[in-house]
Amino acid sequence: MSESVNARAKVLVTGATGFIGRRLVAALAAEGIPVRCLVRSSSTAFPTQVEVAQGDLLEANSLVAPLRGIETAYYLVHAMGGDRAGFDERDRQAAQNFIRAAEMQGVKRVIYLGGLGEESDQLSEHLASRLEVARVLQKGNFQTTYLRAAVIIGAGGASFEMIRFLVERLPVMVTPRWVSTRCQFIAVQDVIAYLVGCLKDERTAGQTYDIGGPELLSYREMMERFAEIEKRFIKIFPVPFLTPKLSSYWVWLITPVKPSISMPLIEGLGNEVICHDDTIRKILPIPLTGYDEAVRTALEEEAASENLKVN
């Protein structure tokens, strides 16, 4: 066991402009924890008390200064979007660059958010790459806390947006078989609570935990429940001939989610992703959010965001 990490020391958040990162930065800042955000462009707005450092995980030399004086770093970066070719190699290279810079600066602890899934499940490329990143980070000369989550429900999240637009635009759906795959979703606010809680509780250092919500639902059930919440009619007819590639383009035609993002998500839906270990519940017994509440909260956030744009 390495020496104890000061939970009030400045922490670094990589992926700070993303779906999880921006929420985590706000939560840490609200608790008075000093935060430094690693960003490729300094144009992004953050809370005034948050420090911003420019750097790119694919450029090793740019990471040395941002990691200076950091005891704990959050690793929230995955190569999704843009050109999918070689995304696994980019994930690997980014993690290796990060390790070298973190070791050089004496980082004591890393908290990584990855995906649920086991090698025996013949993982999609996307889930396999997330697992490999975890293994790369765990080889570093610091303690890595590895949180494994399935579908995260929250405003702005790709999975949530995909479900929302399918429900709102297609009352009758001919869908791929993946709609019957079960997964253990988790509300984004619960993910943030776990990420902050792990920083505060030294017992989580160096450990791996499955994190999930209180229900197991298939994508079909999630879409049907979503329709009930919005008081919409939907009818779903699964068929066997839609491949992940065809599915991703089908989703692209109906929703704003680009194929470069929808394809890795859909490829992963062939794997049943559920929590097999609830150890973290004993250490961080946060109240878990049900699916309906998670969806309502996300819809309220999106409505509030639209109102701000209008006003």
Side-chain angles (χ1 to χ4, degrees):
M1 180 72 71
S2 67
E3 62 181 292
S4 178
V5 173
N6 177 6
R8 289 289 166 178
K10 183 168 289 183
V11 302
L12 180 76
V13 177
T14 68
T17 60
F19 168 54
I20 298 295
R22 56 192 171 86
R23 286 176 165 83
L24 177 60
V25 169
L28 293 170
E31 297 222 13
I33 297 171
V35 181
R36 179 182 297 159
C37 297
L38 178 69
V39 298
R40 283 184 292 183
S41 171
S42 59
S43 60
T44 305
F46 290 102
T48 54
Q49 68 269 41
V50 171
E51 181 184 346
V52 177
Q54 283 188 261
D56 189 329
L57 286 165
L58 292 176
E59 298 178 11
N61 292 337
S62 72
L63 304 177
V64 177
L67 281 161
R68 187 171 295 126
I70 297 295
E71 292 190 2
T72 299
Y74 285 93
Y75 196 91
L76 307 175
V77 177
H78 297 288
M80 287 182 67
D83 181 11
R84 285 197 68 214
F87 77 89
D88 52 345
E89 175 56 34
R90 294 196 300 276
D91 271 343
R92 187 182 309 115
Q93 188 61 56
Q96 290 170 344
N97 289 344
F98 174 83
I99 285 175
R100 284 193 289 271
E103 290 179 338
M104 185 184 304
Q105 296 293 9
V107 171
K108 297 174 182 176
R109 190 173 174 202
V110 170
I111 301 174
Y112 170 61
L113 178 64
L116 276 169
E118 311 298 334
E119 281 186 296
S120 59
D121 294 334
Q122 295 183 319
L123 295 178
S124 68
E125 292 180 355
H126 171 59
L127 289 176
S129 183
R130 287 194 167 199
L131 177 58
E132 183 183 9
V133 168
R135 290 181 170 170
V136 171
L137 293 173
Q138 287 167 335
K139 292 177 182 177
N141 189 26
F142 42 71
Q143 292 183 304
T144 298
T145 299
Y146 176 22
L147 298 183
R148 298 159 23 108
V151 172
I152 299 175
I153 300 296
S159 295
F160 171 79
E161 297 300 334
M162 191 166 68
I163 293 170
R164 176 190 174 191
F165 280 96
L166 287 174
V167 169
E168 292 181 349
R169 298 184 181 185
L170 281 184
V172 178
M173 282 184 250
V174 177
T175 63
R177 286 178 295 184
W178 52 255
V179 296
S180 299
T181 303
R182 293 191 312 163
C183 68
Q184 192 163 356
F185 78 91
I186 183 169
V188 67
Q189 59 264 36
D190 295 349
V191 174
I192 301 304
Y194 277 130
L195 287 168
V196 175
C198 284
L199 173 68
K200 292 180 173 182
D201 197 316
E202 187 68 17
R203 290 174 296 173
T204 64
Q207 303 300 314
T208 297
Y209 300 108
D210 294 352
I211 58 173
E215 301 171 82
L216 288 177
L217 298 172
S218 68
Y219 258 75
R220 178 175 186 161
E221 289 170 324
M222 284 193 279
M223 287 191 285
E224 289 171 342
R225 294 262 292 269
F226 200 112
E228 288 178 12
I229 291 167
E230 290 203 311
K231 295 180 172 56
R232 294 175 180 269
F233 169 85
I234 62 166
K235 191 70 176 175
I236 298 172
F237 299 97
V239 295
F241 55 80
L242 279 172
T243 66
K245 185 172 184 178
L246 286 174
S247 298
S248 67
Y249 285 106
W250 170 73
V251 168
W252 179 54
L253 288 171
I254 305 301
T255 80
V257 182
K258 297 177 182 178
S260 57
I261 293 177
S262 64
M263 193 180 297
L265 286 175
I266 290 170
E267 286 173 349
L269 297 179
N271 303 107
E272 185 173 82
V273 281
I274 61 178
C275 298
H276 295 291
D277 177 17
D278 64 354
T279 303
I280 197 167
R281 298 284 300 123
K282 301 177 179 68
I283 300 172
L284 301 172
I286 68 169
L288 295 175
T289 307
Y291 179 75
D292 291 2
E293 183 182 348
V295 168
R296 289 192 180 97
T297 299
L299 290 171
E300 289 169 3
E301 285 185 7
E302 291 204 334
S305 177
E306 288 300 317
N307 287 338
L308 284 176
K309 291 177 184 177
V310 171
N311 297 326

